[in-house]
Amino acid sequence: MACSQSCFDIVIVGAGPAGLFLGVCLARWGYKIKHIDNRELPTISGRADGLQPRTLHLWRNMGLKRSFMAHEPGRVYEVSLYPFTATLHQGAIERILIEDMAKNGTSVQRPWSITDFDHCEEDSEYPLQVSFRHEQNHQTETVRAKYLFSATGSQSLVRDRLGIQLLHRDPVSHVWGVIDGVVQTNFPDIRPQAGQGMNTAMHDSLNLAWKIHQVEAGFANKSILSTYESERKPIAKALLDFDAKYAALFSQSVDSMDQAVEASQAPGKGEGNEFVKTFKEKQEFTSGYGVSYPANELNWSPDHPATSALFLGTGCKLRPGYVMSSANVTRVVDGNPVQLEQEVPLNGSFRIFVFAGKPGSSRQALSDLAVNLQKPSSFFTAYKRSDEATVSCHERHNPHSLLYTICTIFAASRDDIEISEMVPSLMARYSHHVYADDAWDVRVPDATASAHAKMGLDVGKGGVTVVRPDGHVGCAVQLVEGCGTVHALDQYFSSFTTKVVGQRVATARL
C-alpha cells in the first residue's frame, strides 16, 4: 500500500542513552529514523557517570572509544576483573552518540512528545501510525513506521497504552544523594561503579538493534524479536536486585580508614565486610562480562532444533549465550598483534571463527569446510550478496554477504603460515581475517596456542564458533573432514532464517 504520510523504518521516542544508542546502530546500517525527545536540550551533565569494561570494548568495536577517551575520563582501577572502569558524565556520552548519528544523516528533533499511536492492518509495510506534538508551539505531526521504540523511562505513554507494568523493587528506607564534584582526598579508591543503568540501557538497545536489522535485511524470521524480552528482562531484574542491595549497603555506617584500606588490598582480605564481599561477588556482573542469555533459537543448547552430534557442549569454554572470551592473536598479512574479538566491527553481521588448529592436522577439514559452504544448499550460499561480482577487492569484512564474516585462526606462529598455500580460496578472500595463535597469555601461561586454549579447543582438532552480532556466542561446532561441520551450521541457522538451507533443501526437493 502506498504511504501518503512520511514513512520511517523506526520511530524512536527519547534521546537518553538507550534511544541514542539504538539510533546510532540503525543509522549506521542505513535505516530511516524519526527520533524525538521532549527536552529542549540534551543532558548537560550529571546523571550516570561512566562506562563499564564490556561497554568500553563495545565502543572500541564501533570506533567510538577514541571520542570517549578524548574527554580524558577518570579511570577507576581494581573495581573489576578487567583493566578499568572509565568515568565520564552522561551529558558528554550523549553528545558523542548524537554526533555519530549526525554523521549518518540522523538527528534528534526537540522538543517533541508522542501523543498517540495506532496499528493499521491495511498497511502491511508501515503498519504503525504515530502522532507527535511540539512542546512549545503545539505544532502536530503524524507519520507511519514499521517499528516504534520508546526509551522514556517510567513516564512512557507507549508503556501505559500497551498496559505493560513497570517492574520495580520496594524502596529502601534510606536517604542519600550523589553529587558532581572534584574531591581532594587520600582515601583509597575502593568505590565500585554501581551505576549500571546507562550501560545496561545501551546493551538493551544493541540487543534489539541487530535483531531488527537481521529481520529487515531478510535474513531472520520476525520470531527472533521476541528473544529481546526473554534475554534482556532477566538482566533488568538482576540490575534492580543489585541496585537495591547496594543502596542499602551504601546507607550503612561508614567503615573506619583501617577497614577501608584492608578491603582495598590483597584478595581474601576484608571478607568480613559485607559491602566488599558483595562487590567482589558481583564483579563479573558490574564489568558487563557476566551477562549471559538463556537457550533459544539463537543460543544453542541440547534442546535446540539443531541436533547434530558435532555441537560442542560440556568441556568447551565457548558457551552459547555468553560473550566470547578475549584473545590476543597476530594478524598474518601485516604482523600486527590484535584482539580477536575486536577485529570484526559492529556492523550487524554474524562472525564465524574457524579455529583451524595445527595446519598439518586441519588441511583436509578446512578444504571440506570451504567446499561444503559453497554448495547451493548451505546458509553461506543462500545469503550471498547480489553484487558480489563487483565488490571491491579492498572489502575486508563482507565480500560475500552482509550477514556474516569469516575469520580463520591457526595454532601456529605467523612465520609458519602461508595464506596462499594453507587457506582455501573462499576463506583466503578474508585475508585480513587470517590469524596466528602465537601470543602468550597470562591466563593460560602453559598454552602453545592461547586463543585455542581459552576457547577450550584442542589444537589438533580445532573448531568453529558462530558469534552473534552483539559478541555473544551462538554455537560451537567440531571442525571435521567431510560435510558434517557445515551440516551442523546449517541446522543452527535454519532454526531462525527466512530461507530454506541445509537438509531442508533436500527434503523440500523430494
Side-chain angles (χ1 to χ4, degrees), residues 107-156:
S107 60
V108 180
Q109 295 176 273
R110 306 172 184 272
W112 287 83
S113 295
I114 183 172
T115 57
D116 196 16
F117 66 95
D118 198 9
H119 185 270
C120 306
E121 294 184 359
E122 65 272 16
D123 189 340
S124 59
E125 187 174 7
Y126 297 95
L128 294 173
Q129 179 171 287
V130 190
S131 299
F132 317 100
R133 182 186 66 246
H134 194 277
E135 289 294 309
Q136 295 175 344
N137 61 25
H138 305 298
Q139 177 185 351
T140 61
E141 182 183 6
T142 298
V143 304
R144 303 193 75 88
K146 297 177 182 178
Y147 298 90
L148 171 61
F149 180 83
S150 177
T152 53
S154 60
Q155 306 301 317
S156 172

Side-chain angles (χ1 to χ4, degrees), residues 305-452:
T307 58
S308 170
L310 295 182
F311 283 98
L312 293 168
T314 305
C316 179
K317 297 177 183 178
L318 289 163
R319 297 178 292 174
Y322 285 78
V323 176
M324 188 178 87
S325 297
S326 176
N328 295 321
V329 293
T330 303
R331 192 189 298 134
V332 172
V333 293
D334 55 18
N336 278 326
V338 295
Q339 285 185 299
L340 185 60
E341 74 282 3
Q342 289 288 336
E343 281 292 273
V344 182
L346 177 63
N347 58 8
S349 299
F350 280 83
R351 300 98 181 260
I352 301 172
F353 292 96
V354 180
F355 288 89
K358 294 180 179 179
S361 61
S362 64
R363 183 181 296 273
Q364 188 59 51
L366 274 182
S367 177
D368 292 345
L369 176 67
V371 168
N372 285 281
L373 282 175
Q374 294 177 85
K375 288 184 176 179
S377 62
S378 78
F379 74 92
F380 179 90
T381 302
Y383 292 97
K384 293 186 80 171
R385 298 175 62 148
S386 59
D387 63 347
E388 180 189 1
T390 60
V391 173
S392 169
C393 62
H394 300 294
E395 173 57 53
R396 293 187 179 188
H397 311 301
N398 302 103
H400 295 117
S401 173
L402 298 177
L403 299 168
Y404 46 75
T405 298
I406 298 178
C407 304
T408 306
I409 307 97
F410 288 99
S413 66
R414 180 189 175 233
D415 291 341
D416 294 331
I417 299 173
E418 181 56 56
I419 294 177
S420 62
E421 296 178 3
M422 298 166 59
V423 184
S425 59
L426 177 96
M427 288 172 275
R429 177 63 181 84
Y430 303 83
S431 60
H432 281 80
H433 289 299
V434 177
Y435 307 95
D437 186 2
D438 58 0
W440 182 81
D441 193 304
V442 67
R443 296 199 177 185
V444 284
D446 299 325
T448 56
S450 61
H452 282 70

